[in-house]
Amino acid sequence: MMPDLTVTIGQLVLKNPVMPASGCFGYGEEYAAFYDLSQLGAIVVKGTTVEPRLGNAPVRIAETAAGILNAIGLQNPGVVAAKDRIRQLARYGTPVIVNVAGNSSSDYQRVIEILEDEPTVAAYEINISCPNVKQGGLAFGTDPEVVAELINKLRSATHRTLIVKLSPNVTDIVAVAQAAESAGADALSLINTLVGMAIDAEKRRPVLANLTGGLSGPAVKPVALRMVWQVTEAVQIPVIGMGGISCAEDAVEFLLAGASAVAIGTANFVNPTVCPEVIAGLSEYLKRHQLRSVQELIGLAKAAGKN
Amino acid sequence: MMPDLTVTIGQLVLKNPVMPASGCFGYGEEYAAFYDLSQLGAIVVKGTTVEPRLGNAPVRIAETAAGILNAIGLQNPGVVAAKDRIRQLARYGTPVIVNVAGNSSSDYQRVIEILEDEPTVAAYEINISCPNVKQGGLAFGTDPEVVAELINKLRSATHRTLIVKLSPNVTDIVAVAQAAESAGADALSLINTLVGMAIDAEKRRPVLANLTGGLSGPAVKPVALRMVWQVTEAVQIPVIGMGGISCAEDAVEFLLAGASAVAIGTANFVNPTVCPEVIAGLSEYLKRHQLRSVQELIGLAKAAGKN
Amino acid sequence: MPRKITMQITANEALSAEVRRITLTGDITAQPGQFVQVAVTAAHDPYLNRPFSVHDWRDGELTLLYRLVGRGTAILAARQPGESVTVVGPLGRGFPMGREHSAIIVAGGIGAAPLLFLLRRLQAAGKETAFLYGAQTAAALVLREQFQALATTYAESTDDGSRGRQGQVTELLQEVLLKQKADIYACGPEPMLRAVAKLAAAYQCRCYLSLEARLACGVGACLGCVVPARDGSYLRVCVDGPVFAAEEVFAP
Amino acid sequence: MPRKITMQITANEALSAEVRRITLTGDITAQPGQFVQVAVTAAHDPYLNRPFSVHDWRDGELTLLYRLVGRGTAILAARQPGESVTVVGPLGRGFPMGREHSAIIVAGGIGAAPLLFLLRRLQAAGKETAFLYGAQTAAALVLREQFQALATTYAESTDDGSRGRQGQVTELLQEVLLKQKADIYACGPEPMLRAVAKLAAAYQCRCYLSLEARLACGVGACLGCVVPARDGSYLRVCVDGPVFAAEEVFAP
Ligand SMILES: Cc1cc2nc3c(=O)[nH]c(=O)nc-3n(C[C@H](O)[C@H](O)[C@H](O)COP(=O)(O)OP(=O)(O)OC[C@H]3O[C@@H](n4cnc5c(N)ncnc54)[C@H](O)[C@@H]3O)c2cc1C
Ligand SMILES: Cc1cc2nc3c(=O)[nH]c(=O)nc-3n(C[C@H](O)[C@H](O)[C@H](O)COP(=O)(O)OP(=O)(O)OC[C@H]3O[C@@H](n4cnc5c(N)ncnc54)[C@H](O)[C@@H]3O)c2cc1C
Ligand SMILES: Cc1cc2nc3c(=O)[nH]c(=O)nc-3n(C[C@H](O)[C@H](O)[C@H](O)COP(=O)(O)O)c2cc1C
Ligand SMILES: Cc1cc2nc3c(=O)[nH]c(=O)nc-3n(C[C@H](O)[C@H](O)[C@H](O)COP(=O)(O)O)c2cc1C
Ligand code: FES
Ligand code: FES
């Protein structure tokens, strides 16, 4: 018997808990060459702002040990153009989650307003944590009160599932998580990238034109797992876990830590078929461990962690 | 001509900017089998507390992608026994820096008091950031006011060089750095480990008995470089940079980012002769780049980063 | 359509101290100017796949030419025939076939890599080809006989004069352009490409350049590999290129 | 004194589906029961060195027996004769020579690794040795002929009865202990070691056990590899062991 992979995130019932992470999957079409995107639990599209953004100057990517730094700077065509591309995803019949970014709460509101009449959109993921945008961005993600205020406003702007994406660059991620929860978030996603830097020893200058960038990939997995564990101890709403997932075993670890679903980012770059491979691997894992449903895995390591 | 590797940290003049990181070098004797420790710029011994500490239960170490998690829990023989072992290091004639840990400001004061009459001790490194000790430890390192208060007290307890070791697990490391500086710290060292976690997918439980541990090794280098860059922009006192250094090129990157010296931790475990290799490699680098002194490297990437 | 493909290594040999050639068999197709991403290791360090232009492709056999510059290429060099390697490709937009009867191909150092496949295709299309090959020293003119044998005309230059004309390969280009109009194709270091683009503009020739950038995904999803376009926007090297018309990317 | 040594691989062969033997030459010394840390890769993933007991050492030749369990051992298995590998060692405290005329060696599975060198030394010291070898199946009794040829007496058991006695190797131990007093040496899975320690205590024999833990530094500096001692403190497997007297670590 096939194990049941269904999970629920707010109003969304996902046929499996695996989705690409925002900014790592464009608007989906690039990976459609490699497999049928309808296999995915959900599709998360890239950070979308009201106006088009050019993004940062190159160099935008630096490779680091078991990871990368990126400083894309939210390059995107703006919500109006993005809407057309999002509509193309309807054919896959899998929920589409739009990652929303901005510099002010009215920016976020405006993006949601414009997308409200687009039926392809299933949920919003509020990116309060992009480390590569200089004004605003970071501040939103680090102060629980500012987060609560923003999410309150967005809560009245939509009845759709509202996911708040948390920054790991904080002293106390639990406080931010709880603020988002009490302001009405339906779910949380974490982690966004850790702020980092690379320096070219030979050229004696920073590698990235933006100086700093966001660290992602296997290198950050231990930090992500810890934060997912901590946050799921402290909130009732579901958490989408991410940070360095590159195989089914990694995904299992996030579920065991308490995540209800997982997102895969940088690993797509190294292995374009990682998402379907993780979905298949999850099924295998459940069968091997004689579990009927992926939901049995969620938070299962917590009990063990307590004795 | 041999390039000049001398750097100054508070009252210490180091013959080169390379030292082992605390907790990764015991009290020195283990690595004395591999090379003459008098080659080192300084020797930093492990976190020392007033009373002996047993440390955490095993499992204490988990390997992660390009790094490790540790949850040693400050196992140490207590300051009185440590003093005898520190005295053994006098023969190397290189400055000995004692990493001081505790749960309260009087703990730290007490350790310093007991070490004040030991001439082998050249400086104290105040560990306000050990993530593996449950009470106290973490709180010290994250709140600028608490840090200022602690360092104020310790400043009156010693005329020796006082180095404050910062935690990377904070929203704003610059605020903590500035608090330590204004309270009278002679230098800063960063970063300590990032709080992380590992889960065993097969056993479905956390790997570490302590649940969380501190992440170190090449994986954290980008975060460490960023923090060294940020902190050295904001303070006047010298910074000892660390986090993932495993070769001379890595050390150069930290110096270029603004560090006045570097410490090498986890890499000793993989390559027991990494410290002398980095010292030799620094000389090579300076020769190849026709620089007369390592001091010319300090912060050199900042200028490039600004155009 | 790009795919993830497991390929078998059939040869992996040194052509010079710095340049090697690896031959892979497997179910892949390619056009001249396209590239593949090679998963040099299954471990997480180095993390990203390495992009290499298709040096040649026929009968299910893919050949790459690679210069040893760092860790990834060192790992690739240690892989043995018989082993398998994961490749993602074919990727990117290759060289268009052009309109003129004559084609000039300008190769700078390892930039020669994608130009063999192009040269064969242009010859097969009945074009007259001039292959201009520049490098720092004679030893770096790898596979010179091969290019010389295939091209209608062939000329070469080295920085140190150890073979061919001493000087820049663009001097050779200027001489050829004085005599004929042609479509120009080039791959090599950026300063060379800029100089080629300038000459092409001066002589009003179509000009196609293969660019490099640091790639992450290689498929257009991450926006990591952009170069500034003439119109102020950014172009992705991996899918909008790696071959660009000169006027898309360089001011004349 | 431990050192960091570059060694040459002279052989690296499969002894069973899971167990391999690698032979290295270079300037190293060792005592039975000591181990080395092997830098399986120069990249940062996997990051730590892998510890392996000295299976044998003579004439500048170091032999390790290793079981394929994960990524590090898989990388090691792919290394070719002729390549070099960095090794740190010798590390740890080995087996003491004991006091009785008779020695019983108990090997559980890959726990046999350090016991060949010990067996040779005990024989050379003129002791009478009983080698008791247990594993899950016959195939896992690697090098059984070698142990059998060297030891004064030899007995074996498998969980599935596919060779030797069906059952636990500790049953064989009990039988031998009924007949004679001896120093006991053991390496194998922890439950086996605990059972051996219990029998040794019951028959009042000295007993030395080689333990495993997750190591980081391997030299005593990180305090990562501790096991609880009987006295409530912690012992470091890497320098206080890996060989411990049974009563240091296990309650009788
Ligand atoms: C579309 C495309 C096609 C390519 N085709 C070929 C080819 O056919 N043959 C060939 O030899 N090379 C080719 N390259 C370049 C090749 O990808 C790099 O040389 C290779 O990835 C280096 O890997 P490494 O791990 O050995 O070097 P690393 O250790 O990653 O780097 C070594 C040094 O090279 C620099 N570097 C690495 N990659 C790049 C880059 N893409 N741009 C600028 N600097 C870089 C690094 O900063 C570092 O200084 C191509 C690149 C692209 C984008
Ligand atoms: C002093 C000492 C001597 C040893 N001698 C030998 C020997 O002679 N021959 C031999 O085959 N092995 C020996 N081992 C064990 C050997 O070090 C490990 O099997 C090896 O490091 C695994 O590496 P890997 O990368 O293949 O596995 P990994 O991918 O690191 O791990 C695979 C699985 O094994 C588990 N694991 C790995 N290492 C350990 C460990 N030390 N303790 C418990 N679980 C672990 C992991 O949790 C994981 O589930 C020894 C260990 C020690 C401490
Ligand atoms: C190139 C790149 C672009 C990204 N863009 C966004 C984005 O637009 N919005 C967002 O919320 N997160 C963005 N992220 C963060 C990822 O969604 C994810 O949170 C992070 O990379 C950690 O997961 P990973 O280690 O699996 O990549 C981006 C990450 C990368 C690598
Ligand atoms: C096993 C281990 C023990 C450590 N113990 C201490 C300690 O006692 N005091 C301290 O300030 N830092 C301690 N650290 C942190 C290191 O000194 C260093 O800040 C950190 O590991 C980052 O450097 P690295 O990546 O080079 O290891 C320890 C790190 C490790 C890995
Ligand atoms: S490499 Fe990702 S868009 Fe080009
Ligand atoms: S492994 Fe570091 S003390 Fe034993």
Side-chain angles (χ1 to χ4, degrees):
Chain A
M1 209 189 71
M2 280 295 286
D4 175 13
L5 293 181
T6 317
V7 296
T8 307
I9 303 289
Q11 299 151 50
L12 310 186
V13 179
L14 311 183
K15 64 176 163 296
N16 67 62
V18 179
M19 61 191 85
S22 175
C24 302
F25 210 70
Y27 288 93
E29 60 259 46
E30 290 83 6
Y31 288 96
F34 294 93
Y35 57 91
D36 178 359
L37 303 187
S38 65
Q39 292 178 61
L40 296 168
I43 295 175
V44 187
V45 302
K46 59 190 286 45
T48 302
T49 53
V50 181
E51 302 296 334
R53 294 234 190 146
L54 260 182
N56 293 325
V59 172
R60 291 180 174 186
I61 296 275
E63 189 179 40
T64 68
I68 65 169
L69 287 166
N70 88 80
I72 308 300
L74 279 179
Q75 177 180 337
N76 81 93
V79 61
V80 175
K83 202 169 164 177
D84 291 334
R85 299 175 68 177
I86 290 163
R87 200 171 302 126
Q88 306 301 314
L89 296 171
R91 74 181 98 153
Y92 299 110
T94 194
V96 175
I97 301 173
V98 180
N99 185 268
V100 181
N103 292 333
S104 64
S105 58
S106 58
D107 280 359
Y108 288 91
Q109 280 174 297
R110 191 83 193 99
V111 172
I112 290 181
E113 255 170 53
I114 293 170
L115 292 173
E116 276 293 276
D117 66 357
E118 173 50 58
T120 315
V121 177
Y124 303 107
E125 180 180 54
I126 309 304
N127 177 4
I128 54 170
S129 51
C130 181
N132 295 325
V133 178
K134 291 233 170 98
Q135 322 125 288
L138 198 53
F140 278 131
T142 56
D143 183 336
E145 278 177 42
V146 179
V147 170
E149 210 178 299
L150 173 68
I151 302 307
N152 258 319
K153 286 199 187 130
L154 302 185
R155 185 66 291 174
S156 18
T158 185
H159 292 292
R160 288 178 170 162
T161 295
L162 208 53
I163 304 164
V164 179
K165 181 152 179 187
L166 304 181
S167 167
N169 303 292
V170 295
T171 309
D172 185 0
I173 195 166
V174 166
V176 185
Q178 288 173 327
E181 178 180 40
S182 36
D186 298 304
L188 302 171
S189 58
L190 58 142
I191 60 174
N192 210 312
T193 54
L194 284 164
V195 184
M197 189 170 194
I199 291 180
D200 187 319
E202 290 305 309
K203 298 192 185 136
R204 299 186 230 161
R205 51 175 304 141
V207 175
L208 300 173
N210 188 52
L211 303 188
T212 61
L215 183 64
S216 63
V220 309
K221 194 183 79 171
V223 175
L225 273 175
R226 183 264 295 185
M227 289 183 165
V228 165
W229 178 286
Q230 284 183 324
V231 166
T232 52
E233 300 269 273
V235 302
Q236 304 301 315
I237 52 179
V239 162
I240 304 169
M242 73 196 81
I245 297 176
S246 67
C247 61
E249 193 180 333
D250 292 338
V252 167
E253 290 167 23
F254 277 83
L255 297 168
L256 291 170
S260 297
V262 296
I264 301 175
T266 314
N268 291 286
F269 306 164
V270 177
N271 175 7
T273 53
V274 62
C275 288
E277 286 169 25
V278 168
I279 296 166
L282 271 180
S283 266
E284 285 306 314
Y285 179 94
L286 292 172
K287 277 189 229 162
R288 190 153 46 79
H289 287 259
Q290 287 161 337
L291 296 169
R292 276 203 229 146
S293 150
V294 75
Q295 305 208 26
E296 293 176 48
L297 274 186
I298 299 172
L300 201 59
K302 304 241 192 214
K306 264 154 200 158
N307 27 4
Chain B
M1 210 190 68
M2 280 295 286
D4 175 12
L5 293 181
T6 317
V7 297
T8 307
I9 303 289
Q11 300 151 51
L12 311 186
V13 179
L14 310 183
K15 63 176 165 297
N16 66 62
V18 179
M19 62 190 85
S22 176
C24 301
F25 210 70
Y27 288 93
E29 59 259 45
E30 290 82 5
Y31 288 96
F34 293 93
Y35 57 91
D36 178 358
L37 303 187
S38 65
Q39 292 177 60
L40 296 168
I43 295 175
V44 187
V45 302
K46 60 189 285 47
T48 303
T49 54
V50 181
E51 302 296 336
R53 293 237 190 144
L54 261 181
N56 293 325
V59 174
R60 291 182 174 184
I61 296 274
E63 190 180 38
T64 69
I68 64 170
L69 287 166
N70 88 80
I72 308 300
L74 279 179
Q75 177 180 339
N76 81 94
V79 62
V80 175
K83 203 169 163 177
D84 291 334
R85 300 175 68 176
I86 289 162
R87 200 171 302 127
Q88 306 301 315
L89 297 171
R91 74 181 99 151
Y92 299 111
T94 195
V96 175
I97 301 173
V98 180
N99 186 267
V100 180
N103 291 334
S104 64
S105 58
S106 58
D107 279 0
Y108 288 91
Q109 281 174 298
R110 192 82 194 101
V111 172
I112 290 180
E113 254 170 54
I114 293 170
L115 292 173
E116 276 293 275
D117 65 357
E118 174 49 59
T120 315
V121 177
Y124 304 107
E125 180 180 54
I126 308 305
N127 176 4
I128 54 169
S129 50
C130 181
N132 295 325
V133 178
K134 291 235 170 94
Q135 323 126 287
L138 199 53
F140 277 132
T142 55
D143 182 336
E145 278 176 43
V146 178
V147 170
E149 210 178 301
L150 173 69
I151 303 307
N152 258 319
K153 285 197 188 133
L154 302 185
R155 185 67 289 174
S156 18
T158 185
H159 293 292
R160 288 178 170 162
T161 296
L162 208 54
I163 304 163
V164 178
K165 182 152 179 187
L166 304 181
S167 166
N169 303 291
V170 295
T171 309
D172 186 359
I173 195 165
V174 167
V176 185
Q178 288 173 328
E181 178 181 40
S182 37
D186 297 303
L188 302 171
S189 58
L190 58 139
I191 59 174
N192 210 313
T193 53
L194 284 164
V195 183
M197 189 170 195
I199 291 180
D200 187 319
E202 289 306 308
K203 298 191 187 137
R204 300 187 231 162
R205 50 177 302 140
V207 174
L208 300 173
N210 189 51
L211 303 189
T212 62
L215 182 65
S216 63
V220 309
K221 195 183 77 172
V223 175
L225 273 175
R226 183 264 295 186
M227 289 183 165
V228 166
W229 178 286
Q230 284 183 324
V231 166
T232 52
E233 300 268 273
V235 302
Q236 303 301 314
I237 52 179
V239 162
I240 304 170
M242 72 196 81
I245 297 175
S246 68
C247 61
E249 194 180 331
D250 292 338
V252 168
E253 291 167 21
F254 277 84
L255 297 168
L256 291 170
S260 297
V262 297
I264 301 175
T266 314
N268 291 287
F269 306 164
V270 177
N271 175 7
T273 54
V274 63
C275 289
E277 286 169 24
V278 168
I279 296 166
L282 271 180
S283 265
E284 286 306 315
Y285 178 94
L286 292 172
K287 278 189 229 160
R288 191 154 44 81
H289 286 258
Q290 286 160 339
L291 296 168
R292 277 204 227 145
S293 151
V294 75
Q295 306 208 24
E296 293 177 46
L297 274 186
I298 300 171
L300 202 58
K302 304 243 192 211
K306 264 154 198 158
N307 28 5
Chain C
M1 291 279 270
R3 291 186 309 119
K4 186 175 95 170
I5 306 150
T6 304
M7 302 190 78
Q8 306 302 317
I9 302 174
T10 52
N12 190 3
E13 66 212 297
L15 300 181
S16 74
E18 286 198 331
V19 178
R20 296 177 63 92
R21 181 170 57 188
I22 190 167
T23 309
L24 306 166
T25 54
D27 181 18
I28 198 171
T29 63
Q31 293 297 322
Q34 287 191 304
F35 68 100
V36 297
Q37 290 255 73
V38 178
V40 288
T41 168
H44 294 318
D45 180 61
Y47 188 57
L48 294 171
N49 296 340
R50 290 338 198 211
F52 298 100
S53 301
V54 172
H55 175 57
D56 207 355
W57 174 72
R58 43 180 164 181
D59 307 333
E61 201 176 75
L62 178 75
T63 311
L64 311 175
L65 216 62
Y66 62 102
R67 195 158 82 94
L68 296 170
V69 298
R71 297 196 305 152
T73 46
I75 294 172
L76 196 58
R79 305 295 296 271
Q80 306 285 329
E83 290 178 22
S84 65
V85 64
T86 303
V87 163
V88 179
L91 298 168
R93 290 193 326 176
F95 294 105
M97 278 297 101
R99 304 231 192 109
E100 304 292 336
H101 175 61
S102 296
I104 308 173
I105 302 178
V106 188
I110 189 66
L115 301 175
L116 173 71
F117 192 17
L118 173 68
L119 175 58
R120 278 211 295 108
R121 278 287 167 91
L122 290 172
Q123 288 288 138
K127 310 243 178 188
E128 198 175 328
T129 58
F131 197 93
L132 312 180
Y133 195 0
Q136 292 188 311
T137 63
L141 290 167
V142 296
L143 300 176
R144 54 181 298 284
E145 296 81 5
Q146 182 177 310
F147 294 115
Q148 190 165 20
L150 274 168
T152 316
T153 63
Y154 174 87
E156 60 199 4
S157 69
T158 52
D159 294 357
D160 64 358
S162 53
R163 189 187 282 280
R165 166 88 62 101
Q166 168 158 19
Q168 306 282 313
V169 69
T170 42
E171 295 165 30
L172 299 176
L173 174 62
Q174 182 148 27
E175 282 172 25
V176 180
L177 284 173
L178 284 172
K179 288 181 276 180
Q180 63 173 159
K181 198 166 163 79
D183 295 322
I184 302 174
Y185 301 89
C187 184
E190 194 182 302
M192 179 198 104
L193 296 181
R194 288 189 182 274
V196 169
K198 269 210 158 49
L199 282 170
Y203 291 87
Q204 296 183 303
C205 292
R206 272 176 220 90
C207 176
Y208 303 102
L209 308 172
S210 179
L211 300 195
E212 276 193 18
R214 281 168 212 253
L215 306 191
C217 70
V219 300
C222 74
L223 308 180
C225 61
V226 298
V227 289
R230 291 273 311 285
D231 68 5
S233 71
Y234 286 117
L235 292 166
R236 291 165 299 179
V237 166
C238 68
V239 288
D240 301 322
V243 176
F244 295 94
E247 62 274 15
E248 289 180 274
V249 288
F250 292 145
Chain D
M1 290 277 272
R3 291 186 309 118
K4 186 175 96 172
I5 306 150
T6 304
M7 301 190 79
Q8 306 302 318
I9 302 174
T10 53
N12 190 4
E13 66 212 298
L15 300 181
S16 73
E18 286 199 330
V19 178
R20 296 178 64 92
R21 180 170 58 187
I22 190 168
T23 309
L24 306 166
T25 54
D27 181 17
I28 198 170
T29 62
Q31 293 297 322
Q34 288 191 303
F35 69 100
V36 296
Q37 290 255 75
V38 179
V40 289
T41 168
H44 294 317
D45 179 61
Y47 188 58
L48 295 171
N49 296 340
R50 291 337 198 210
F52 299 101
S53 301
V54 173
H55 175 57
D56 206 354
W57 173 73
R58 44 180 163 181
D59 307 333
E61 201 175 74
L62 178 75
T63 311
L64 311 175
L65 217 62
Y66 62 101
R67 195 158 82 95
L68 296 170
V69 297
R71 297 196 305 152
T73 45
I75 294 172
L76 196 58
R79 304 295 296 272
Q80 306 285 328
E83 291 178 20
S84 64
V85 65
T86 303
V87 164
V88 178
L91 299 168
R93 290 193 327 176
F95 294 104
M97 278 297 100
R99 305 232 192 108
E100 304 293 336
H101 175 61
S102 295
I104 307 173
I105 303 178
V106 188
I110 188 66
L115 301 175
L116 173 70
F117 192 16
L118 173 68
L119 175 58
R120 279 212 294 107
R121 278 289 167 90
L122 291 171
Q123 288 288 138
K127 310 241 176 188
E128 199 175 327
T129 58
F131 196 94
L132 311 180
Y133 196 0
Q136 292 188 312
T137 62
L141 290 167
V142 295
L143 301 176
R144 54 181 298 284
E145 296 81 5
Q146 182 177 310
F147 294 115
Q148 190 164 21
L150 274 168
T152 317
T153 63
Y154 174 88
E156 59 198 4
S157 69
T158 51
D159 294 358
D160 63 358
S162 53
R163 189 186 283 280
R165 165 87 62 102
Q166 168 160 18
Q168 306 282 312
V169 69
T170 42
E171 295 165 28
L172 299 176
L173 174 62
Q174 183 149 27
E175 283 172 24
V176 180
L177 284 173
L178 284 173
K179 290 181 275 178
Q180 63 174 159
K181 197 166 164 77
D183 295 322
I184 302 174
Y185 301 90
C187 185
E190 195 182 302
M192 178 198 103
L193 296 181
R194 288 189 182 273
V196 169
K198 270 211 157 50
L199 283 171
Y203 290 88
Q204 296 184 304
C205 291
R206 273 177 219 89
C207 176
Y208 304 103
L209 309 171
S210 180
L211 300 195
E212 277 193 19
R214 280 167 213 252
L215 306 191
C217 71
V219 300
C222 74
L223 308 180
C225 62
V226 299
V227 289
R230 292 273 312 282
D231 68 6
S233 70
Y234 286 118
L235 292 165
R236 290 165 299 179
V237 166
C238 68
V239 287
D240 301 322
V243 176
F244 296 94
E247 61 275 15
E248 290 180 274
V249 288
F250 293 145

